[in-house]
């Protein structure tokens, strides 16, 4: 059945049966008009009294004002964290620490619906994803690391693991609560205290997490959450009282951080950009591979550092894969993120939408053959159609640079050697995907692809027990699993 | 001499079970509300093959079921009839008579249903008997033993022979997927049956557990899609057995809609083999109309 009959009329996905709107209710959530900084167990006003707006990218409406922390505010947060580390948290018996972390995990589960709705309002991701993926995974991370808290001596036998002190953590806007969990859970489990800065476009779930942490009875100052943009982040990175920086975000900022802490004894982990190769061999389960391609690039509007954004298809099945991919794209529902049937929500911010559109223009000018699904976009809000670039070349900028949006480049290949060379020929090395029914081929590729995470016959699977991190310009250090404890310990 | 274009079924398309199950769970997150729910429920009702396949079937029971098929719930206006009734060959005449003028089709199981453990000759006679008594559709079973043995040519010839015996009656080919053990086998059987001339492919007899499941049905729908793109021929799908709630009916419909598109959203190309599904659909339709659920006693049990 490999030959396609070109005279056949394509399947019709545009009419027939439309799903009525099924919006998730936002009635049950409570949001303040204004959010302060969470320092030493209390919400306090910023010293300079400055605030910025956080908006809903699907409606372009303001949701709340959020405090902007300056150097002094950050210094207060760091000294609160230091005090909590010296007096309480660093000395607390590990089983006691574990109890607090378990409690946070359970409370996230209890309030999961509220978190899901706010995550979707503030960030634009579909409610299906925040409900089924982001929030449950965030709770699971706390559960997982709570379990390690009193077993560090078994994780690292005869190495006398000890906490570092105060961890400064800066997280991105693509998985706001989940990234907070990835950062906070291992830091607490290992006995460190935390100053965390969420991204300026998506601060709300981190601030709701601050409320939850306050309600959980975690000792004051163990977790401090300060909001703001790049300047606030720079203040955290530059503060001499910080023992460790954990950053997830763009490669450019990661390089700046690395430069600015050079010469200090701060420890550093960076989880940066990516441009993953997603490789489909002719002997793959093609129908499922197409689903994997869709999950790889259109999950979270493509705002995923490990997104499978460079598709490599073996030439013998390329036409078939592209045909199936186009059909599948017709069934993706783009629109109101709060609708339970939405597959692709809003782009996180106006700036990001402009970046994506700029790259689409670049792609067209480079001569890439563009294909977009026929869906209509809402009149308001920041939206982008799922986009393919067929016949892409290795030297196209859209192939080389991270777009961080629902844009997939497609290249074909003939031999294994060729695809490995092309897959590795990129400054990034965060993730990759391989689809083939042949186990030996999978192992051959996983050992030769230079990427931190490689999925075989699936894509974008996350688990707290599985380490995650990159090679090359995708950063260093691992989060998740046993490996995720190490960056927060000295031996 | 022209070569027949029959593929090598040992090389049928590979299926990944984990991926299939993931896709199914994603279909099941679709939330079908309000007018789309009513439209969907009516579609489900119109796609039902109301079925009775028991040794103790009587003519009276078949007649009553036929009335139900044409008048699912007269208390509610604007309802479609079901697509067909499905009976044993000996009941075809009775059903045909009872359904005259209603537009509801009569389907007959055949080929030594449900086990298929008989000779080609008997199976052909079985089929011809049903067709002669007026069956519009024939639901045959494949010889699973020969299929599992790898004797694909035997099964291919069997289907082709029955298809010929059907004349103008549409042929549904039952795989009994509960006995095929892997999704790869389901895919292989689907390709084989479609190439041999099946008008419909059908999961199960309803006599073996598991009967129809969403993963199995998805594999078959994908096979139908690939066959369509390869040949231009549309083939129908019939999951049968184990689908008893309106909710799962809608989930199957979502899966159909997003795999094969609008052209298959009709009872010409999709059927549910079910007996208790109809009443649950009716109960939901009445609820959508009146806002309250009625008890089971308000719906005739035929």
């Amino acid at each position: 059945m490999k030959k396609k009959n070109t005279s056949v009329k394509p399947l019709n996905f545009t009419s027939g049966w439309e799903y009525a709107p099924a919006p998730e209710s936002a009635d049950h959530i409570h949001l303040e008009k204004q959010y302060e900084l969470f320092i030493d167990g209390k919400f306090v006003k910023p010293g300079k009294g400055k605030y910025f707006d956080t908006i809903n990218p699907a409606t372009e409406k303001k949701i709340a004002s959020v405090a902007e922390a300056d150097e002094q505010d950050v210094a207060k947060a760091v000294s609160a964290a230091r005090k909590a580390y010296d007096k309480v948290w660093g000395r607390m018996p590990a089983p006691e620490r574990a109890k607090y972390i378990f409690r946070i995990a359970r409370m996230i589960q209890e309030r999961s619906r509220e978190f899901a709705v706010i995550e979707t309002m503030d960030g634009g991701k579909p409610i299906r994803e925040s409900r089924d993926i982001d929030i449950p995974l965030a709770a699971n991370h706390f559960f997982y690391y709570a379990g390690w808290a009193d077993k560090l001596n078994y994780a690292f036998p005869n190495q006398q693991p000890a906490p570092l002190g105060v961890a400064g953590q800066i997280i991105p806007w693509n998985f706001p609560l989940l990234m907070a969990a990835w950062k906070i859970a291992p830091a607490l489990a290992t006995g460190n205290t935390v100053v965390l800065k969420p991204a300026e476009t998506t601060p709300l779930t981190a601030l709701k997490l601050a409320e939850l942490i306050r309600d959980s009875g975690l000792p004051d100052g163990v977790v401090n959450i300060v909001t703001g943009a790049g300047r606030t982040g720079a203040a955290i990175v530059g503060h001499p009282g910080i023992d460790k920086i954990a950053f997830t975000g763009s490669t450019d900022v990661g390089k700046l951080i690395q430069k600015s802490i050079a010469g200090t004894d701060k420890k550093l982990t960076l989880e940066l950009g990516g441009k993953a190769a997603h490789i489909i061999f002719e002997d793959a389960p093609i129908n499922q591979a197409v689903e994997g391609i869709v999950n790889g690039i259109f999950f979270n509007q493509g705002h995923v550092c490990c997104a499978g954004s460079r598709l490599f298809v073996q030439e013998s099945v390329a036409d078939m894969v592209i045909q199936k991919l186009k059909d599948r794209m017709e069934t993706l529902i783009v629109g109101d993120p709060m609708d339970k049937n939405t597959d692709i929500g809003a782009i996180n911010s106006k700036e990001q939408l402009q970046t994506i559109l700029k790259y689409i223009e670049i792609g067209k000018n480079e001569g890439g053959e563009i294909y977009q699904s026929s869906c209509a976009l809402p009149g308001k809000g920041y939206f982008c159609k799922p986009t393919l670039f067929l016949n892409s070349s290795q030297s196209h900028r859209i192939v080389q640079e991270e777009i961080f949006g629902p844009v997939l480049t497609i290249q074909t290949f003939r031999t294994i050697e060729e695809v490995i060379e092309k897959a590795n020929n990129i400054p990034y090395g965060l993730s990759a995907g391989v689809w083939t029914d042949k186990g030996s081929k999978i192992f051959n590729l996983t050992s030769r692809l230079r990427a931190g995470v490689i999925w075989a016959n699936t894509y974008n699977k996350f688990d707290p027990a599985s380490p995650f991190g990159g090679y090359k310009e995708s950063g260093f250090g691992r989060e998740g699993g046993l490996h995720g404890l190490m960056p927060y310990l000295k031996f | 001499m022209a070569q027949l274009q029959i593929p090598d079924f040992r090389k049928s398309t590979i299926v990944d079970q984990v991926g299939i199950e993931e896709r199914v769970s994603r279909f099941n997150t679709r939330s079908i509300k309000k007018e789309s729910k009513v439209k969907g429920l009516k579609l489900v009702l119109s796609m039902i093959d109301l079925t009775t396949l028991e040794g103790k079937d009587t003519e009276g029971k078949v007649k009553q079921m036929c009335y139900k098929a044409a008048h699912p719930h007269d208390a509610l206006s604007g309802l479609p009839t079901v697509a067909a009734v499905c009976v044993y060959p000996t009941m075809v005449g009775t059903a045909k008579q009872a359904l005259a003028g209603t537009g509801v089709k009569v389907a007959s199981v055949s080929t030594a249903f449900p086990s298929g453990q008989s000779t080609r000759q008997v199976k052909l006679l079985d089929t011809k008997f049903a067709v002669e008594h007026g069956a519009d559709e024939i639901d045959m079973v494949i010889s699973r033993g020969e299929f599992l043995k790898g004797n694909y040519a035997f099964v291919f010839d069997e289907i082709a022979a029955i298809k010929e015996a059907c004349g103008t009656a549409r042929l549904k080919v039952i795989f009994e997927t509960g006995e095929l053990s892997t999704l790869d086998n389901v895919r292989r059987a689907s390709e084989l049956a479609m190439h041999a001339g099946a008008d419909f492919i059908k999961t199960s007899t309803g006599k073996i557990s598991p009967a129809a499941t969403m993963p199995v049905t998805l594999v078959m729908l994908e096979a139908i899609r690939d066959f369509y793109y390869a040949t231009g021929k549309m083939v129908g799908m019939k999951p049968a057995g184990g689908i008893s709630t309106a909710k799962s009916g809608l989930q199957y419909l979502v899966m159909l809609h997003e795999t094969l598109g609008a052209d298959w959203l009709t009872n010409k190309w999709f059927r549910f083999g079910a007996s208790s599904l109809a009443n649950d659909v009716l109960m939901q339709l009445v609820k959508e109309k009146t806002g309250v659920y009625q008890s089971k006693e308000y719906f005739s049990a035929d």
Side-chain angles (χ1 to χ4, degrees):
Chain A
M1 276 197 211
K2 293 219 165 94
K3 257 223 197 108
K4 205 187 92 191
N5 185 339
T6 41
S7 62
V8 174
K9 178 166 72 90
L11 296 175
N12 168 17
F13 292 104
T14 50
S15 65
W17 188 33
E18 257 188 61
Y19 305 146
E24 174 73 42
S25 162
D27 298 343
H28 56 91
I29 61 156
H30 177 74
L31 283 170
E32 309 289 344
K33 284 216 162 55
Q34 182 172 304
Y35 279 93
E36 314 295 348
L37 307 170
F38 184 67
I39 297 175
D40 207 14
K42 288 170 279 299
F43 282 96
V44 298
K45 291 193 177 302
K48 292 256 167 57
K50 271 194 174 169
Y51 292 86
F52 61 94
D53 293 346
T54 185
I55 66 152
N56 181 336
T59 62
E60 304 180 41
K61 285 199 185 115
K62 176 182 166 181
I63 308 174
S65 297
V66 180
E68 185 180 330
D70 65 4
E71 286 78 1
Q72 277 76 37
D73 298 316
V74 168
K76 268 167 65 186
V78 173
S79 78
R82 174 63 56 191
K83 196 177 78 192
Y85 175 74
D86 290 339
K87 298 260 164 66
V88 191
W89 195 250
R91 302 169 171 202
M92 188 182 282
E96 291 299 311
R97 276 205 319 263
K99 282 189 208 168
Y100 283 105
I101 306 170
F102 272 124
R103 191 180 301 160
I104 293 170
R106 283 197 306 272
M107 288 174 73
I108 292 175
Q109 282 186 322
E110 282 161 14
R111 300 190 193 173
S112 57
R113 222 176 126 210
E114 186 185 5
F115 273 104
V117 168
I118 297 173
E119 198 73 302
T120 287
M121 285 172 67
D122 203 21
K125 68 174 63 200
I127 187 77
R128 183 186 65 79
E129 289 178 8
S130 47
R131 180 195 66 203
D132 296 348
I133 298 163
D134 288 59
I135 311 302
L137 262 180
N140 283 349
H141 252 266
F142 280 103
F143 276 120
Y144 176 78
Y145 279 110
W148 275 122
D150 60 353
K151 299 169 195 74
L152 298 176
N153 284 317
Y154 301 95
F156 308 103
N158 302 319
Q159 293 180 75
Q160 294 167 316
L164 301 172
V166 178
Q169 307 180 321
I170 299 166
I171 58 171
W173 45 258
N174 54 347
F175 296 93
L177 184 73
L178 182 58
M179 288 301 108
W182 277 32
K183 294 284 184 279
I184 295 173
L188 296 190
T190 47
N192 298 277
T193 57
V194 166
V195 176
L196 175 120
K197 185 193 90 68
E200 67 270 27
T201 59
T202 55
L204 289 182
T205 42
L207 291 162
K208 289 306 267 190
L209 180 65
E211 287 177 4
L212 180 150
I213 284 171
R214 181 195 61 194
D215 299 346
S216 76
L218 187 76
D220 291 347
V222 173
V223 171
N224 304 275
I225 294 179
V226 292
T227 41
R231 194 173 146 213
T232 312
I236 294 175
V237 172
H239 195 286
I242 296 271
D243 299 298
K244 185 222 154 45
I245 296 288
F247 173 77
T248 298
S250 72
T251 295
D252 290 345
V253 176
K255 285 177 177 172
L256 282 179
I257 290 175
Q258 202 171 3
K259 269 182 204 154
S260 79
I261 66 166
T264 72
D265 60 357
K266 285 174 190 165
K267 284 183 77 170
L268 178 65
T269 43
L270 296 174
E271 202 266 89
L272 308 174
K275 191 79 182 174
H278 202 169
I279 304 167
I280 316 292
F281 285 100
E282 62 180 0
D283 59 358
I286 296 291
N287 287 305
Q288 287 72 56
V290 168
E291 198 55 28
I293 296 167
V294 168
N295 286 333
I297 187 63
F298 301 130
F299 173 52
N300 199 27
Q301 295 76 245
H303 304 327
V304 185
C305 43
C306 53
S309 48
R310 288 187 296 152
L311 182 67
F312 292 95
V313 190
Q314 200 152 23
E315 61 179 0
S316 53
V317 292
D319 288 347
M320 179 168 58
V321 167
I322 290 164
Q323 166 70 51
K324 285 171 183 288
L325 188 56
K326 287 177 174 176
D327 273 349
R328 177 71 179 93
M329 283 164 71
E330 283 302 312
T331 65
L332 290 171
I333 300 174
V334 185
D336 178 11
M338 290 286 272
D339 194 304
K340 290 174 215 159
N341 289 329
T342 293
D343 295 308
I344 300 182
I347 301 300
N348 187 267
S349 66
K350 198 173 184 176
E351 292 69 41
Q352 188 56 32
L353 179 61
Q354 280 162 354
T355 305
I356 296 166
L357 295 178
K358 183 190 81 184
Y359 273 111
I360 290 179
E361 272 313 301
I362 291 173
K364 284 186 199 163
N365 292 336
E366 285 171 333
E369 186 190 329
I370 188 171
Y371 175 83
Q372 294 184 310
S373 75
S374 69
C375 65
L377 298 183
K380 247 198 166 333
Y382 314 129
F383 291 91
C384 179
K385 285 187 181 185
T387 304
L388 305 178
F389 274 103
L390 312 171
N391 308 325
S392 296
S393 301
Q394 193 74 4
S395 49
H396 284 168
R397 275 183 72 194
I398 52 166
V399 172
Q400 294 171 334
E401 298 175 20
E402 186 178 36
I403 300 174
F404 225 60
V407 181
L408 179 69
T409 63
I410 304 180
Q411 296 167 264
T412 58
F413 69 94
R414 189 168 291 185
T415 67
I416 291 195
E417 298 309 319
E418 179 190 358
V419 75
I420 290 175
E421 192 190 338
K422 282 184 174 160
N424 285 337
N425 172 220
I426 194 98
Y428 297 108
L430 188 55
S431 58
V434 181
W435 290 80
T436 164
D437 205 38
K438 200 167 182 181
S440 58
K441 211 186 268 178
I442 290 172
F443 287 113
N444 180 23
L445 267 97
T446 47
S447 58
R448 289 168 68 194
L449 290 173
R450 295 253 296 151
V453 182
I454 300 174
W455 286 288
N457 293 337
T458 188
Y459 206 89
N460 272 342
K461 282 281 168 303
F462 305 96
D463 189 279
S466 164
F468 185 92
Y471 274 96
K472 301 193 279 189
E473 289 200 5
S474 292
F476 46 78
R478 294 291 179 267
E479 294 181 292
L482 188 66
H483 307 67
L485 295 164
M486 282 189 259
Y488 292 96
L489 289 169
K490 56 189 173 211
F491 300 99
Chain B
M1 201 178 100
Q3 280 281 306
L4 274 177
Q5 291 278 316
I6 299 171
D8 181 349
F9 297 111
R10 288 169 303 177
K11 294 180 185 156
S12 65
T13 297
I14 299 155
V15 178
D16 184 79
Q17 188 176 342
V18 176
I20 286 285
E21 283 166 5
E22 256 175 36
R23 183 74 185 109
V24 164
S25 67
R26 179 114 183 229
F27 288 127
N28 293 349
T29 65
R30 289 284 192 229
S31 176
I32 307 300
K33 302 277 182 224
K34 302 194 184 89
E35 63 274 15
S36 55
K37 185 172 180 183
V38 173
K39 187 172 179 190
L41 289 171
K42 285 184 180 171
L43 256 176
V44 170
L45 185 63
S46 76
M47 290 169 164
I48 291 174
D49 282 4
L50 213 53
T51 303
T52 185
L53 294 169
E54 288 173 14
K56 62 181 194 291
D57 282 348
T58 63
E59 292 190 353
K61 187 183 177 195
V62 169
K63 277 184 197 161
Q64 292 184 34
M65 190 179 77
C66 289
Y67 190 83
K68 167 96 174 177
H71 305 264
H73 193 64
D74 284 342
L76 195 64
S77 60
L79 290 182
T81 67
V82 303
V85 297
C86 182
V87 294
Y88 271 115
T90 49
M91 293 294 169
V92 167
T94 308
K96 193 70 191 172
Q97 209 173 6
L99 287 169
T102 61
V104 178
K105 302 264 193 295
V106 176
S108 170
V109 297
S110 136
T111 66
F113 180 94
S115 71
Q117 295 281 29
S118 192
T119 60
R120 177 84 40 94
Q121 202 180 8
V122 169
K123 291 179 181 183
L124 286 167
L125 280 173
D126 200 13
T127 307
K128 282 174 187 156
F129 177 85
V131 173
E132 277 162 18
H133 284 79
D136 305 297
E137 299 169 359
I138 295 294
D139 291 28
M140 72 169 283
V141 292
I142 62 166
S143 298
R144 280 87 80 187
E146 296 299 326
F147 179 87
L148 291 169
K149 212 191 272 177
N151 200 352
Y152 303 128
F154 180 94
V155 181
F156 187 95
D157 292 347
E158 181 178 54
I159 295 170
I162 300 293
K163 168 76 182 168
E164 201 180 347
C166 282
T168 55
R170 293 177 87 202
L171 175 65
K172 307 195 194 100
V173 178
I174 305 172
F175 302 148
E176 197 64 296
T177 52
E179 291 185 344
L180 295 191
S181 104
T182 65
L183 293 181
D184 280 326
N185 274 343
V186 173
R187 171 79 195 200
R188 186 168 297 166
S190 303
E191 293 184 11
L192 187 154
M194 290 187 290
H195 279 282
D199 297 302
F200 263 83
I201 51 178
K202 175 175 169 184
T203 58
S204 329
T205 61
K207 305 291 183 194
I208 294 278
S209 184
T213 64
M214 286 188 72
V216 158
T217 306
L218 178 57
V219 169
M220 293 165 73
L221 290 173
E222 286 177 347
I224 290 171
R225 178 178 63 192
D226 296 347
F227 185 75
Y228 171 73
Y229 273 123
T231 65
K233 287 194 196 110
M234 287 173 82
V235 174
M237 172 72 208
K238 178 176 173 185
I243 307 165
S244 57
T245 64
K247 184 177 177 180
S248 82
L250 287 175
Q251 288 171 335
Y252 274 86
L253 210 58
V254 165
M255 179 161 72
L256 171 69
H257 177 223
E258 297 192 24
T259 308
L260 291 172
D263 295 348
W264 265 263
L265 278 180
T266 129
N267 64 14
K268 191 177 176 197
W269 298 113
F270 195 82
R271 297 286 177 83
F272 290 100
S275 42
S276 53
L277 174 63
N279 270 5
D280 199 54
V281 169
L282 291 169
M283 197 188 282
Q284 296 292 335
L285 278 168
V286 170
K287 191 254 168 187
E288 286 299 313
K289 178 112 180 179
T290 63
V292 286
Y293 281 107
Q294 295 181 343
S295 90
K296 282 185 181 163
E297 309 307 335
Y298 287 86
F299 301 91
S300 60
D302 273 315

